[in-house]
Amino acid sequence: MTTADLWLRSYHPTPDAAARLVCFPHAGGSASFYFPVSAALSPVADVVAVQYPGRQDRHTEKGIETVAELADRIAEVLRSNTSLPLTFFGHSMGAVLAFEVARRLERTGRAPAHVFASGRRAPSSHRPENVHQRDDDGVIAEMRKLSGTDPRILGDDEVLRMVLPAIRSDYTAIENYRADPGAQIGSPITVLVGDDDPRTTLDEARAWEPHTLGTFDMKIFSGGHFYLTDHAPDVIAILKAHFTS
């Protein structure tokens, strides 16, 4: 297995695609969260989803507890994996990772064409959070609150306890993340956010604008942190328009 095979999942390979969409999961999430996106966009883009250590087929690996290390590892894979133009989509923690990976690739001339940052406040907007310091029941309570975890996992205590270390690693990484002062990318940024997201206010979402030297756009949907579950067709339409316009 190559390093790329370890980190990237391609559910609907599109060898003739002219561009690639790289999808970054949320804290506690896995690559399969983006299976529907891959299915919908595979005719117009080669869609790959990042698989973080500690979950699904990587469940025996220890989770990575810093955004910097995750971004370094992912950037290294993407830098040599394809010559296709890249577009990033990240939700929640994945939005921050997309931004940090874009920064790293930009330094080597491989900047993504566009970054879609979903359900996450700007890198410069900090809130004190401590989910990673809670006991297991506290972490589980947070997962239930945000409604982004497969109910089958939440309903299976044995499986849930098995994946908790990886989930805690994700929360440790994102809750301890601090953006470099004045961090920016040249790629355009589009922010997508739910109007009732307890983790991201509209002002915190708009605060992404100073982080790009390119164009900035913001799209607001009804719903909470996982608004994109209810608005999947709309989100996919936005991505499809990006690749076909």
Side-chain angles (χ1 to χ4, degrees):
M1 177 181 288
T2 67
T3 303
D5 292 334
L6 193 65
W7 283 89
L8 303 177
R9 299 291 171 271
S10 178
Y11 298 113
H12 304 89
T14 311
D16 297 328
R20 169 173 283 185
L21 175 67
V22 183
C23 300
F24 296 78
H26 52 281
S30 57
S32 60
F33 181 79
Y34 289 107
F35 184 92
V37 176
S38 173
L41 294 180
S42 61
V44 297
D46 182 47
V47 181
V48 297
V50 178
Q51 187 76 299
Y52 309 140
R55 66 221 67 207
Q56 292 187 333
D57 53 349
R58 301 188 69 182
H59 71 274
T60 60
E61 299 177 52
K62 187 178 185 300
I64 294 175
E65 296 187 343
T66 70
V67 167
E69 184 180 351
L70 275 168
D72 286 345
R73 301 282 295 277
I74 297 166
E76 181 181 359
V77 171
L78 294 177
R79 194 176 290 120
S80 58
N81 181 251
T82 181
S83 59
L84 291 176
L86 302 174
T87 292
F88 291 171
F89 182 96
H91 181 68
S92 196
M93 181 182 81
V96 167
L97 267 174
F99 175 74
E100 289 294 341
V101 172
R103 291 181 66 206
R104 286 154 173 76
L105 292 183
E106 193 172 80
R107 296 170 194 154
T108 59
R110 287 283 284 133
H114 205 106
V115 173
F116 290 88
S118 166
R120 179 68 191 182
R121 55 190 177 273
S124 54
S125 299
H126 173 66
R127 292 189 193 183
E129 294 177 315
N130 65 353
V131 175
H132 71 283
Q133 296 175 330
R134 300 178 190 175
D135 62 15
D136 287 354
D137 288 340
V139 175
I140 293 169
E142 181 70 12
M143 294 164 63
R144 294 186 189 279
K145 178 181 177 181
L146 295 179
S147 303
T149 303
D150 189 330
R152 291 171 296 181
I153 294 178
L154 290 174
D156 188 326
D157 189 69
E158 183 177 353
V159 172
L160 186 56
R161 302 290 169 176
M162 184 177 67
V163 301
L164 272 174
I167 295 169
R168 190 179 298 279
S169 293
D170 288 354
Y171 275 108
T172 299
I174 193 59
E175 291 182 347
N176 288 317
Y177 168 76
R178 302 292 183 273
D180 291 340
Q184 290 180 312
I185 57 175
S187 308
I189 293 177
T190 295
V191 169
L192 303 90
V193 64
D195 62 5
D196 195 29
D197 187 341
R199 289 289 172 262
T200 304
T201 68
L202 299 186
D203 284 343
E204 288 173 325
R206 289 190 188 95
W208 276 92
E209 185 168 6
H211 291 282
T212 176
L213 296 171
T215 59
F216 174 81
D217 190 22
M218 180 165 149
K219 301 186 183 299
I220 303 170
F221 299 85
S222 60
H225 191 59
F226 281 91
Y227 74 89
L228 71 177
T229 302
D230 293 330
H231 295 282
D234 300 313
V235 174
I236 288 170
I238 290 168
L239 292 172
K240 185 172 289 188
H242 165 74
F243 288 108
T244 57
S245 59

